[in-house]
Amino acid sequence: MLNDKGITAFPEKSSNESGQNHLLLIAVNEYRRYEPLHNCVSDLEKLRDVLVRHYEFELENVKPLFNEKATRREILKALLTYAPKPDDEENCLQENQNLFIVFSGHGFHDKEDGGYYWLTALQPNAAPDEDDQLAGDELLRYVNKIRETKSPLS
């Protein structure tokens, strides 16, 4: 059932025949406009440790965006680093590599527009009306750019 949605499980650590696994961790405890959360960052640090210790993840392939680094702009920029580039085919997610994206923080479902949103950190010098929401539709557009490599995404 999960595989029908493009979600795959990773094997226990042994020999990785499928290539490298990459991990994008996004966690926000500290919000300027919303109630703070207390365990988002520590939960993802623990998840990272388990994946590195017991599964096919290498620390150099883990990209953490925590608290003030988890802005909408930085998240989208991080996703683009995995996408294929016309002039640089080597520095993107390769066909035999996997990307696991995890978000821990506030989010909501807008019943009016039917959209789902992550609430991200604000830029340090954010204007009062700066957007701190990352829409699921926009996130999916970026993920689909990465999928052009035909790499499994989770």
Side-chain angles (χ1 to χ4, degrees):
M1 182 165 123
L2 290 177
N3 203 21
D4 294 342
K5 296 179 180 174
I7 299 171
T8 58
F10 296 98
E12 284 275 350
K13 220 172 205 177
S14 60
S15 65
N16 187 354
E17 297 171 9
S18 63
Q20 295 175 329
N21 292 318
H22 295 262
L23 183 59
L24 176 58
L25 298 173
I26 305 159
V28 185
N29 284 338
E30 302 161 11
Y31 287 93
R32 293 199 325 222
R33 295 182 181 164
Y34 309 100
E35 288 295 314
L37 297 170
H38 303 288
N39 298 312
C40 297
V41 171
S42 63
D43 286 350
L44 291 194
E45 288 172 333
K46 290 173 190 168
L47 175 63
R48 175 203 59 210
D49 293 345
V50 167
L51 292 173
V52 167
R53 196 173 301 123
H54 300 290
Y55 295 90
E56 296 288 332
F57 288 85
E58 300 297 329
L59 202 50
E60 62 267 13
N61 295 328
V62 176
K63 186 178 293 191
L65 295 175
F66 294 156
N67 289 318
E68 71 279 351
K69 293 181 182 169
T71 64
R72 182 178 173 280
R73 180 181 303 153
E74 289 302 313
I75 293 168
L76 296 176
K77 189 166 39 168
L79 288 168
L80 281 178
T81 64
Y82 299 105
K85 298 149 199 73
D87 57 338
D88 188 6
E89 297 277 327
E90 295 298 314
N91 291 317
C92 68
L93 200 67
Q94 300 298 311
E95 189 171 332
N96 66 338
Q97 297 176 336
N98 304 297
L99 175 60
F100 185 37
I101 304 167
V102 184
F103 174 78
S104 183
H106 284 302
F108 70 96
H109 173 235
D110 186 326
K111 292 181 181 173
E112 260 184 52
D113 71 12
Y116 292 89
Y117 299 85
W118 289 351
L119 296 179
T120 65
L122 282 169
Q123 298 285 41
N125 298 319
D129 62 344
E130 184 170 324
D131 195 6
D132 61 352
Q133 301 172 6
L134 179 53
D137 290 345
E138 184 173 18
L139 180 64
L140 189 57
R141 279 195 303 277
Y142 278 75
V143 167
N144 284 334
K145 288 179 184 182
I146 300 167
R147 283 183 182 232
E148 292 173 9
T149 63
K150 298 178 182 67
S151 269
L153 293 169
S154 299

